[in-house]
Structures are given as C-alpha cells and as structure tokens.
Amino acid sequence: MSTEANFIQQLTNPKTKEKAFLELLNRYQKRLYWYIRKIVVTHENADDALQNTFIRIFNKIETFKGNSLLTTWMFRIAHNEALRLLEKQNKTHLASLDEIQPQYLKDLTQDNYFNGDELNLKFHQIINTKLTNKQRIVFNMKYFDDLSFREIADILEINENTLKSSYYSAVKIIEDEITAQTNF
Amino acid sequence: MKKFNLHKINKEELTKLHKNDLGMDIPKDYFKTSKSKIMEKVAITQKEKPRVFYLRPSFGYLMAASIIILIALSIVFKYNIKTKNNLNDADVENLANANDEDILINSLFVSDEEMSNFLDNYLVNNLVENVEVMEKEFDNIFLNSIIESDSLIDNYIDDSFVENIIL
C-alpha cells in the first residue's frame, strides 16, 4: 500500500483519525494558508477560510475516493472556501469575481499585515489589475504555490493546455509591465 | 532597456518579491495558534456528531421508505377493493344475468384475475343458494311427513275406534 493510501486510511479510521489529522495540519497548513491568502487578500479572511477548509477536510475525508491526489483535493476545498468567503462578503456571483479586484488593492493597503515595499505593491498591482481572474489564479498556483499544471488542472477542473496558455500569457504580461515600470 | 525575466531573477530579487508571502505579513505565532483553534473546532464538531437515533440520516431514509411503502400499499389495497366492488356491483350483475354464451364473450374483456374472482363469488353464491333451497326442501319434506303420518295415525285410530265400537 502506498504512503498516501496508508495515510488516508489513518485519516478515515476513527481510532487514528485525530492523530493523522494533526499530521495533515502540520504538513499543509502553511501551504493552504498562503494559497487562500493570495485569493482573499487580508489575513482575517484567510484565517476564516483556512479554518473552514480544515474543518471541511476533517468532516469530508471519508468521501475522498482517491480519484486525485489528496493534496489536489485539499487545494480544491481551499479554493472553494476562499471563493465562498469572497462571495459571501461581496454578495456577488463567482463569475463576477473580476469586478471584486479593484477592491483587492484597497484591502491590501489597508491590511495590517501587509508589509510589502513599493515593488511588492507594484507586483500585486500588476497581478490583480492586469491579469484576468483565470490568469491570476493560475499564475498564483503555479508561481507561488509550486503546483504542477496537472495538479492545477485537477483543482480548477480546467484543461491542462488552456492552463498553460493562461500561465504563459500571465508571465508575459507581468514581465512587460515590470520592464516598463522599472529599470531591470 | 533590459527585459525583465520572471523566471531568471536572482535570489536577491526573488527575496524582494517575497515569493513566499508577497509582503503579506502574519501575526506572531499565527500558525501555532491557528492549529490549536482548528483542532478545538474539529473536536467540537466530533462531539456534535453522535445524534439522537431518529435524527440520523439512515433512520430518516428508513422512515421515508416506510412511509412510501405504506402509501403505495394503501393505494394498491384501495384500488383492489374498488375493482372487486365494481365487479360485484355492476359487471358481475351483468355476467350473472347473462347466459353461458354471454359469460364466455364477456369473459374475453375481463382480466383473468377479475374473472377468477367473479367465478369464486359466483360459485360461493350459487352453493349457498342451493344449500338454502335444499334445506328448505328438507324442512318441507320433514314437516309434510310429520303432518301426513299424524293424519294417517289419526285415521287409523279413528278407524280402529269405530271398528271396536261397532264390533
């Protein structure tokens, strides 16, 4: 039995579930936090979404059928929790998430836990104003969260080639914008 | 102007871009406290899980299935009674009044089940009727025989009495 299968078995066994879940928390807490944070921006929102994510993982682990990697499944839950929180706060549909983006930079500069310099802010600005919603999510997942295209495709349930196209378009836009704005 | 290459920036530049946090800070010991909070919440949801038996989903499904079966049975039962009653009231009356040929022709338009029900009823009714007729006949024969024998005895007594007196 593979290590992952063994770990999942521990997570679904009532006797070992709590211990295995703590292990899961240790392994993925930071990665999922930063993934969520890049979507919801503020620390408070990220904290809420992260807690909801792990509670959902704990309650739904028995329904995990192993059709994808456990990591992919957890990222999908985190992704949905982050979007659900934004939706709840903005009372808008997911499709109009692009409309929320102008709010992003306002939230970022007002966030007590943002300590970035001018370049950070510029980088955020480009990611969140020049990229489309899809390009931004794909770029964040690939560049910052080190997920493979296969994993991103599984999480977002989008064709892998479409993802690659979105990512490389995003990279080009960012490079062009930074080149134009700085003296690199 | 040198073209900026996102994937070829040096470590210093990468640090500047804060690959890990993008300038997003977190409270001190956040991950430690968050871990405790999540574990607490998970423990609460675990405690909430054991529910009263009738609130369990499995019990709900059983109840729903039982209700559906009861409704279905009541409909089927009601329908059966209705069809039986209909046969007794109208169809059977027609069939009973018809001659043998008519019964045969009518039976072509009646289902086997209905036909067998009708025949059962028909047989039972006829048997009861016949038995009642036979009982009546027996009663009459018995009464007649008693009356007849009484009159014969009376006649015999009378005759013998007269004979005795005369003789």
Side-chain angles (χ1 to χ4, degrees):
Chain A
M1 196 184 283
S2 71
T3 321
E4 176 152 313
N6 189 36
F7 186 53
I8 292 162
Q9 205 175 47
Q10 285 176 24
L11 279 166
T12 49
N13 183 344
K15 286 178 186 171
T16 52
K17 188 173 181 175
E18 210 168 312
K19 197 182 166 192
F21 183 73
L22 188 64
E23 172 64 25
L24 184 93
L25 203 53
N26 286 331
R27 281 191 208 175
Y28 296 102
Q29 187 192 22
K30 286 181 186 172
R31 273 187 87 184
L32 289 181
Y33 171 84
W34 288 118
Y35 176 72
I36 292 168
R37 178 85 184 259
K38 282 189 282 289
I39 299 173
V40 300
V41 186
T42 66
H43 167 71
E44 283 74 20
N45 281 348
D47 185 34
D48 281 352
L50 184 76
Q51 284 186 30
N52 293 341
T53 301
F54 274 105
I55 289 165
R56 196 169 282 268
I57 290 169
F58 186 86
N59 290 333
K60 299 282 174 189
I61 189 71
E62 283 82 9
T63 64
F64 175 67
K65 292 183 177 72
N67 296 332
S68 62
L69 287 171
L70 182 65
T71 326
T72 314
W73 182 72
M74 291 195 306
F75 266 89
R76 197 182 301 145
I77 292 176
H79 184 80
N80 291 336
E81 283 299 329
L83 295 187
R84 195 174 288 135
L85 191 129
L86 286 180
E87 243 190 312
K88 204 173 149 187
Q89 286 184 345
N90 293 282
K91 291 180 181 170
T92 54
H93 192 261
L94 283 185
S96 63
L97 199 62
D98 278 328
E99 293 165 22
I100 304 167
Q101 293 315 314
Q103 185 68 25
Y104 183 102
L105 289 172
K106 198 180 159 199
D107 285 350
L108 188 69
T109 47
Q110 286 175 357
D111 184 14
N112 294 330
Y113 296 105
F114 179 74
N115 68 355
D117 55 19
E118 204 185 330
L119 185 62
N120 288 140
L121 196 60
K122 207 168 275 178
F123 199 45
H124 278 290
Q125 202 170 16
I126 296 163
I127 291 171
N128 293 289
T129 56
K130 303 289 176 187
L131 303 184
T132 65
N133 185 39
K134 192 162 120 189
Q135 283 173 335
R136 181 175 64 86
I137 288 174
V138 173
F139 178 79
N140 282 340
M141 290 171 102
K142 177 71 187 154
Y143 188 73
F144 294 110
D145 301 312
D146 284 330
L147 292 165
S148 69
F149 283 118
R150 180 71 264 153
E151 286 172 317
I152 301 169
D154 283 344
I155 293 166
L156 301 179
E157 293 170 335
I158 300 174
N159 179 281
E160 208 175 317
N161 290 331
T162 315
L163 285 178
K164 283 178 186 171
S165 160
S166 292
Y167 177 73
Y168 292 119
S169 305
V171 168
K172 179 142 190 355
I173 292 166
I174 294 167
E175 284 177 344
D176 289 349
E177 285 291 328
I178 293 181
T179 304
Q181 291 178 27
T182 60
N183 292 323
F184 281 105
Chain B
M1 190 187 291
K2 191 186 162 192
K3 169 93 174 159
F4 173 74
N5 187 331
L6 201 59
H7 292 282
K8 284 183 182 169
I9 51 177
N10 61 41
K11 278 191 178 177
E12 199 182 332
E13 287 163 344
L14 194 67
T15 313
K16 265 189 176 180
L17 288 172
H18 291 268
K19 184 171 165 56
N20 288 326
D21 58 20
L22 272 171
M24 292 167 165
D25 207 356
I26 49 165
K28 200 184 169 194
D29 292 332
Y30 165 68
F31 288 114
K32 205 177 162 185
T33 51
S34 163
K35 208 177 287 174
S36 316
K37 263 193 217 173
I38 291 167
M39 288 310 285
E40 271 173 34
K41 284 195 174 178
V42 156
I44 291 167
T45 54
Q46 236 184 340
K47 274 181 191 169
E48 283 171 354
K49 267 188 177 175
R51 295 179 196 161
V52 189
F53 77 96
Y54 54 79
L55 292 175
R56 285 179 188 164
S58 56
F59 186 79
Y61 294 139
L62 274 175
M63 279 298 290
S66 308
I67 290 166
I68 289 166
I69 289 167
L70 271 174
I71 292 168
L73 280 175
S74 66
I75 290 167
V76 169
F77 190 62
K78 198 177 172 184
Y79 177 76
N80 274 349
I81 288 172
K82 209 178 170 184
T83 51
K84 274 181 186 173
N85 285 344
N86 283 348
L87 257 182
N88 287 335
D89 294 337
D91 298 342
V92 173
E93 204 172 298
N94 289 334
L95 283 167
N97 292 332
N99 58 35
D100 291 349
E101 272 181 18
D102 290 338
I103 290 172
L104 273 172
I105 292 162
N106 286 338
S107 71
L108 293 172
F109 303 104
V110 180
S111 72
D112 290 347
E113 198 186 345
E114 286 172 353
M115 198 60 204
S116 76
N117 283 338
F118 161 68
L119 287 174
D120 288 346
N121 291 336
Y122 188 72
L123 272 173
V124 169
N125 289 339
N126 275 357
L127 274 174
V128 170
E129 213 169 67
N130 286 340
V131 167
E132 276 174 4
V133 168
M134 278 173 77
E135 271 178 3
K136 269 186 182 176
E137 278 175 2
F138 275 125
D139 286 345
N140 290 338
I141 289 164
F142 182 65
L143 280 170
N144 287 340
S145 69
I146 289 171
I147 292 163
E148 210 167 270
S149 60
D150 278 353
S151 67
L152 282 169
I153 290 164
D154 283 345
N155 286 341
Y156 174 72
I157 291 167
D158 287 342
D159 288 344
S160 64
F161 183 68
V162 169
E163 272 175 20
N164 283 337
I165 291 172
I166 294 168
L167 290 170

